[in-house]
Amino acid sequence: QVQLVESGGGLVQSGGSLRLSCAASGETLDYYAIGWFRQAPGKEREGVSWISSRDGSTYYEDSVEDRFTISRDNAKNTAYLQMNSLKPEDTAVYYCAARPTVAVEAFSHLRSYPYWGQGTQVTVSS
């Protein structure tokens, strides 16, 4: 019963920054892990970053390590993805997703996430 809405996407030049937001409603995110995924044209959806529900542990796909930062503010029921040093290859539709913290699948397993946002377009020009 979680509804997720992404925002913050847009057009940015190479090397620029964007901050994506994922606002939740219908249920608190306190007990959900949050993942950010992206899908570029002609490619499969892939995991970008994840954050746990309780201890705040974070994980990143190798290509965004040291450039992106995932965070969450449970009081605001919102998760974020700060994207710095953007590259053209980061161009994609970005999705946030949520799953119960008790899920046993790997964080990157898309089908383990029952709740998804509508996506927000990120375009990085060269």
Side-chain angles (χ1 to χ4, degrees):
Q1 298 181 194
V2 177
Q3 295 82 48
L4 304 173
V5 179
E6 303 96 335
S7 62
L11 175 64
V12 65
Q13 64 181 351
S14 181
S17 299
L18 287 172
R19 188 183 73 162
L20 306 184
S21 298
C22 175
S25 61
E27 187 175 345
T28 179
L29 287 179
D30 290 6
Y31 310 109
Y32 290 83
I34 303 297
W36 284 96
F37 300 80
R38 66 186 180 187
Q39 187 166 18
K43 296 184 178 180
E44 296 294 312
R45 192 170 300 183
E46 65 175 356
V48 176
S49 184
W50 303 266
I51 186 167
S52 66
S53 60
R54 186 68 281 176
D55 64 6
S57 298
T58 59
Y59 309 88
Y60 299 91
E61 195 271 330
D62 288 346
S63 67
V64 307
E65 183 74 49
D66 299 323
R67 297 190 299 119
F68 292 10
T69 302
I70 190 171
S71 62
R72 65 191 298 162
D73 187 338
N74 287 346
K76 297 180 179 179
N77 222 27
T78 302
Y80 306 93
L81 185 68
Q82 178 67 46
M83 305 185 295
N84 299 325
S85 301
L86 283 162
K87 306 174 181 179
E89 52 262 45
D90 295 318
T91 295
V93 177
Y94 283 71
Y95 301 87
C96 68
R99 75 179 193 183
T101 191
V102 296
V104 298
E105 296 87 352
F107 282 113
S108 60
H109 187 193
L110 276 66
R111 299 190 70 176
S112 71
Y113 293 83
Y115 308 111
W116 291 82
Q118 84 289 353
T120 185
Q121 176 70 48
V122 171
T123 303
V124 184
S125 62
S126 60

